[in-house]
């Protein structure tokens, strides 16, 4: 009886694992795209800080606008791939971006 239970368990585990892999594989491209957008936004924030140090006010504001666009794209992609919690977490990043724009008088 134990051997048949183990065999049945193995038979069921294969298709279930395949189903989980398939569903995560379908979500994976959108999640990867979202992470890429977050990475781009972080790089642009660094660039904006460097431009602020150099005193290039106009370029700082343009770069901060680009950061906002990347965060919006990332939030949409995270929601699309089922990671709504991460999309909600990006709201705090967008709040920080609004503060940075206010400090640099971009609005």
């Amino acid at each position: 009886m134990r051997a048949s239970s183990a065999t049945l368990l193995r038979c069921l585990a294969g298709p279930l694992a395949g189903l989980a892999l398939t569903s995560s594989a379908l979500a994976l491209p959108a999640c990867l795209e979202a992470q890429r957008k977050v990475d781009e936004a972080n790089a642009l924030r660094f660039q904006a800080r460097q431009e602020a140090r150099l005193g290039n006010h106009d370029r700082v504001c343009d770069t901060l606008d680009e950061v906002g666009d990347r965060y919006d794209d990332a939030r949409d992609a995270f929601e699309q791939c089922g990671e709504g919690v991460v999309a909600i977490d990006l709201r705090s990043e967008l709040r920080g971006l609004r503060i940075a724009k206010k400090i640099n008088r971009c609005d």
Side-chain angles (χ1 to χ4, degrees):
M1 183 121 155
R2 273 189 151 170
S4 64
S5 295
T7 303
L8 180 62
L9 196 56
R10 277 188 231 129
C11 289
L12 290 175
L16 291 176
L19 180 63
L21 182 61
T22 304
S23 64
S24 65
L26 293 174
L28 189 62
C31 289
L32 289 175
E33 176 68 17
Q35 185 57 51
R36 187 176 64 80
K37 292 294 184 180
V38 169
D39 293 342
E40 288 176 9
N42 290 335
L44 286 169
R45 285 189 89 154
F46 177 78
Q47 181 180 341
R49 285 191 301 271
Q50 297 302 318
E51 290 166 349
R53 287 182 187 142
L54 296 173
N56 192 352
H57 176 74
D58 292 333
R59 188 65 191 139
V60 170
C61 293
D62 291 342
T63 303
L64 290 175
D65 286 338
E66 290 179 40
V67 170
D69 294 341
R70 297 305 190 290
Y71 280 142
D72 289 336
D73 293 344
R75 185 186 62 225
D76 294 342
F78 275 126
E79 287 175 353
Q80 183 181 11
C81 79
E83 293 294 327
V85 173
V86 178
I88 291 170
D89 190 42
L90 285 175
R91 291 181 194 168
S92 64
E93 295 294 332
L94 288 167
R95 263 186 249 118
L97 180 63
R98 283 194 300 274
I99 291 169
K101 284 183 173 184
K102 187 179 277 189
I103 289 170
N104 288 291
R105 298 184 181 116
C106 294
D107 293 328

